[in-house]
Structures are given as structure tokens and as C-alpha cells.
Amino acid sequence: HGYTYEQHGQLWKAANATRSHAMIMTWAPNTLHQSFIGSDFEMLQVVLPLPSKECNQNRMDANQRCNPNITTEERLGSPLGACDFDASFLYRTISDTVHKRIYDPTIDEAKISPAHDLIRSYTMTTLQLNEIMQYWTEMKDPREATCQWFIDNFEAMKRNVPTTFPRVVQVEDEWSQSTLAVVAMSLASMALFVVLITAA
């Protein structure tokens, strides 16, 4: 039968309390998996045969597993369909506005932000995700846990910042660089001189 994520946790904790055997389908990184690491009820991975076209074709229909009108044998399905799942690649979702603003041809190249390229190239290892899950298990607040992990790994995270950012700010002497400023100062000096002579 199918269980919710919360029920998975309750099932595993109940099995731990009663010292009973239990098998559930889960994934990693996962807070439930992480919370039992190092204990005598730590989860052990069951390695299944690699997926194949034949296995996928004989796999039990997921919608039928919870059908109360079928037998246990029918629910288990054919042995030919007993294999692992295909790997699913995760994709980043980036707002189209970000892309447009960064690659806007009217923006000077020196002012273009590296944010889009940084987001596309940034990755996290499974170990790092597991560490965040461990923080989450201990702190109970996912946002606080993520922020604390980032603080504790700040030096490592800095390596993801492009070497050209932040840009070095160079202060220029406006008065020496601007012809208009020089002319304005000259005229102002002449006007001041005329006023002083007239007042005298």
C-alpha cells in the first residue's frame, strides 16, 4: 500500500521502537534517513538489478498497487519487473527575466551580471545535501538549517563566486578628467573676481 512521507517516518520509528523489520522505498538525501545514521536502526540500501527495457515493460502499474481488489501476488507483479528505477535528472528553473536582463544588448558588457552563468554552473554534492539534512534534523527549521550550513561553509561557498566579482572600484578625479568641469571652474573664478572688483 502507499504511504505519505509523514507516515513513512511514523512507520520507521514504530519499527525501531518495537524492534521489528521494516522495508520502505525512500531516497537520499532525506531527513528521515539522516536522523537514523549512526544508530542501530540505520537504514540499509537494498541494491536491485539495473533497470532495463524488459523490466520496465513488466513493472507493476503504480496505480494498481493500492487496488484493494487484487491479490498480494498481483500487487507484487511479475519477477521480470523487479529492478531499480531509471535515474531522473534534475533541472534548474531560471526566470526568463533574468536571462533577458543579463543578455540585453543595450547593456554595456562591463555592467552585465554573472548571475545567470553562476546559477547554471553551480552544483552541490550529495555529501553537502546530507549535511544540510542533518542540520535540518537537529534545528527543525529548514531555512535556519540552510543558513547555518552556509555560514559554517562560507569559505567553501566563496569559491563559487566568479574571480572578476565583486569588481574593483576605481575612484577617478573628476576635475582632472572633465573638460567641462575645468571650463566651469574657470568661469566661476572669473565671475567671483568680477564680483569682488565691483564690490570694492
Side-chain angles (χ1 to χ4, degrees):
H1 294 276
Y3 296 97
T4 64
Y5 178 76
E6 183 179 0
Q7 289 172 333
H8 271 184
Q10 295 172 351
L11 186 152
W12 198 260
K13 291 175 182 177
N16 180 32
T18 58
R19 317 311 294 172
S20 303
H21 298 292
M23 178 180 288
I24 61 175
M25 185 174 68
T26 185
W27 59 92
N30 184 306
T31 53
L32 177 63
H33 171 266
Q34 202 71 24
S35 62
F36 282 95
I37 289 180
S39 70
D40 58 353
F41 216 67
E42 181 176 340
M43 293 184 179
L44 298 177
Q45 181 180 3
V46 176
V47 180
L48 298 174
L50 293 175
S52 64
K53 184 176 181 179
E54 180 186 17
C55 178
N56 287 335
Q57 290 174 342
N58 288 277
R59 195 186 299 275
M60 175 66 181
D61 185 353
N63 296 322
Q64 289 296 317
R65 291 197 185 105
C66 297
N67 185 346
N69 299 319
I70 61 176
T71 64
T72 300
E73 289 73 17
E74 291 174 325
R75 183 172 291 111
L76 292 175
S78 168
L80 296 176
C83 63
D84 206 347
F85 289 97
D86 293 319
S88 298
F89 293 99
L90 300 180
Y91 295 89
R92 300 178 181 85
T93 302
I94 304 176
S95 171
D96 186 54
T97 304
V98 175
H99 185 276
K100 288 181 179 179
R101 288 183 176 179
I102 291 175
Y103 295 102
D104 187 342
T106 63
I107 301 177
D108 293 338
E109 185 178 358
K111 296 181 179 179
I112 294 177
S113 170
H116 187 259
D117 292 337
L118 175 62
I119 294 173
R120 289 183 59 189
S121 62
Y122 181 75
T123 59
M124 292 189 74
T125 65
T126 302
L127 176 60
Q128 290 172 325
L129 291 173
N130 281 331
E131 288 177 346
I132 293 176
M133 291 295 178
Q134 184 62 41
Y135 277 61
W136 185 0
T137 300
E138 296 172 355
M139 304 178 75
K140 308 304 181 185
D141 185 337
R143 178 182 176 84
E144 184 179 352
T146 304
C147 290
Q148 187 59 52
W149 181 89
F150 189 90
I151 292 172
D152 293 344
N153 295 271
F154 184 70
E155 291 302 320
M157 292 295 99
K158 283 174 61 177
R159 301 192 191 102
N160 296 297
V161 179
T163 55
T164 56
F165 290 85
R167 296 184 177 93
V168 178
V169 179
Q170 296 180 349
V171 180
E172 296 183 350
D173 185 351
E174 295 182 357
W175 301 108
S176 63
Q177 298 295 328
S178 173
T179 304
L180 179 62
V182 173
V183 173
M185 283 294 293
S186 300
L187 293 175
S189 300
M190 292 174 61
L192 179 61
F193 179 73
V194 172
V195 171
L196 291 176
I197 293 299
T198 303

